Amino acid sequence: MPALSVVIISRNEEACIARCLRSVHFADEIVVLDNNSTDQTRDIASGLGAKVLITLDWPGFGAQKNRALAAATGDWVLSLDADEWVEPPLAAEIRAAIANPKGCDGFEIPRRSRFCGRIVRHGGWSPDLVLRLFRRQSGRFSNDTVHEKVVVNGKVTRLSHPMEHDSIADLADAHDKIGRYAQASAARMLAEGKKSSISKAVLRSVWAYMNSYVFRLGFLDGSTGAMVAAYSAGYTYQKWALVALGGKSRCAEESRAGVEGKSAGFRNRPG
């Protein structure tokens, strides 16, 4: 049976890291690369049998995940965020896939995300396919500071069972992630020479709301769909407003401090 390594990056994830780690007890190795947590994340991870490594700097999501990947030794790698977990049907499918990959070098996995505890089925959040299972020698992460992805040299196919994702724990978490990730995205966009204005930021945020709630059928999720749409609009406005302001406010300072080091992936982001 080929060996499986699970790789996770973390920063202050004591609220969810145990659930994530316990869900992948079937792996041969679990590597947690921690970005200078100040809570109990590292103690919890090591207590559950993970190999815990520490970095003090924050190079961005892609580079940090490649560091974790470099520490893995398995034939196959499953990459998870700390707020994600694997249920038994997916665990069985993963074991079967790496035992008989049928010439594949990577597998996309559908992801089922939650907003304030409720599963989001529309609004652009589903289906959410993420390439997370791959041969260690055939894949790596892109070097993007945000919006990183796995790049596989070879054939990729898809698993059927979903991984679980507690994307937004509560409204305070939503507010925090909007601010942190809008700043990170704005910093990247400014480095790429992108331009904006406050009026464009407003228009883009209105479009993000309409796209999520109306065109992508978020209204079918009821009040949760409305909250998801508002969340998308808030993130979109802040990101483009920061670009319009030239990245002022706390953008540069917080990037240096490693605010992006939270491993909880802010996926399902609008443009």
Side-chain angles (χ1 to χ4, degrees), residues 235-256:
Y235 164 70
T236 300
Y237 173 79
Q238 288 202 29
K239 176 177 68 174
W240 287 100
L242 278 170
V243 173
L245 295 171
K248 295 178 182 179
S249 185
R250 298 175 298 157
C251 188
E253 177 185 349
E254 292 195 353
S255 291
R256 287 194 299 268

Side-chain angles (χ1 to χ4, degrees), residues 64-139:
Q64 186 77 340
K65 289 189 176 183
N66 278 323
R67 287 172 171 177
L69 179 59
T73 61
D75 304 292
W76 288 82
V77 171
L78 174 65
S79 172
L80 291 178
D81 290 334
D83 60 355
E84 297 170 339
W85 69 98
V86 174
E87 293 289 349
L90 176 58
E93 191 175 15
I94 289 171
R95 289 195 295 266
I98 66 175
N100 183 19
K102 300 179 180 178
C104 293
D105 295 281
F107 294 89
E108 292 180 332
I109 302 175
R111 183 167 54 174
R112 182 160 50 197
S113 294
R114 291 163 175 77
F115 191 102
C116 295
R118 297 182 180 178
I119 294 174
V120 183
R121 303 187 187 280
H122 304 90
W125 282 38
S126 179
D128 180 22
L129 296 171
V130 287
L131 204 172
R132 295 296 191 81
L133 178 64
F134 55 95
R135 292 186 194 270
R136 182 170 58 86
Q137 298 296 338
S138 300

Side-chain angles (χ1 to χ4, degrees), residues 94-255:
I94 289 171
R95 289 195 295 266
I98 66 175
N100 183 19
K102 300 179 180 178
C104 293
D105 295 281
F107 294 89
E108 292 180 332
I109 302 175
R111 183 167 54 174
R112 182 160 50 197
S113 294
R114 291 163 175 77
F115 191 102
C116 295
R118 297 182 180 178
I119 294 174
V120 183
R121 303 187 187 280
H122 304 90
W125 282 38
S126 179
D128 180 22
L129 296 171
V130 287
L131 204 172
R132 295 296 191 81
L133 178 64
F134 55 95
R135 292 186 194 270
R136 182 170 58 86
Q137 298 296 338
S138 300
R140 62 179 301 277
F141 294 91
S142 65
N143 285 321
D144 300 301
T145 56
V146 290
H147 302 286
E148 81 293 342
K149 60 184 178 181
V150 175
V151 180
V152 168
N153 181 20
K155 181 182 176 182
V156 174
T157 189
R158 187 175 301 169
L159 301 183
S160 60
H161 290 94
M163 72 166 59
E164 305 297 332
H165 183 208
D166 197 12
S167 182
I168 301 296
D170 51 37
L171 293 180
D173 185 32
H175 177 76
D176 175 63
K177 286 181 178 176
I178 285 174
R180 289 190 294 109
Y181 286 90
Q183 289 163 12
S185 293
R188 185 195 65 177
M189 292 161 65
L190 285 165
E192 294 171 351
K194 298 285 181 67
K195 303 293 184 182
S196 184
S197 67
I198 296 300
S199 61
K200 287 181 179 179
V202 171
L203 290 174
R204 285 180 179 272
S205 69
V206 171
W207 165 250
Y209 186 94
M210 294 297 295
N211 187 44
S212 175
Y213 191 66
V214 178
F215 300 114
R216 296 197 174 189
L217 307 180
F219 63 88
L220 294 177
D221 286 324
S223 60
T224 299
M227 288 191 294
V228 168
Y231 169 70
S232 298
Y235 164 70
T236 300
Y237 173 79
Q238 288 202 29
K239 176 177 68 174
W240 287 100
L242 278 170
V243 173
L245 295 171
K248 295 178 182 179
S249 185
R250 298 175 298 157
C251 188
E253 177 185 349
E254 292 195 353
S255 291

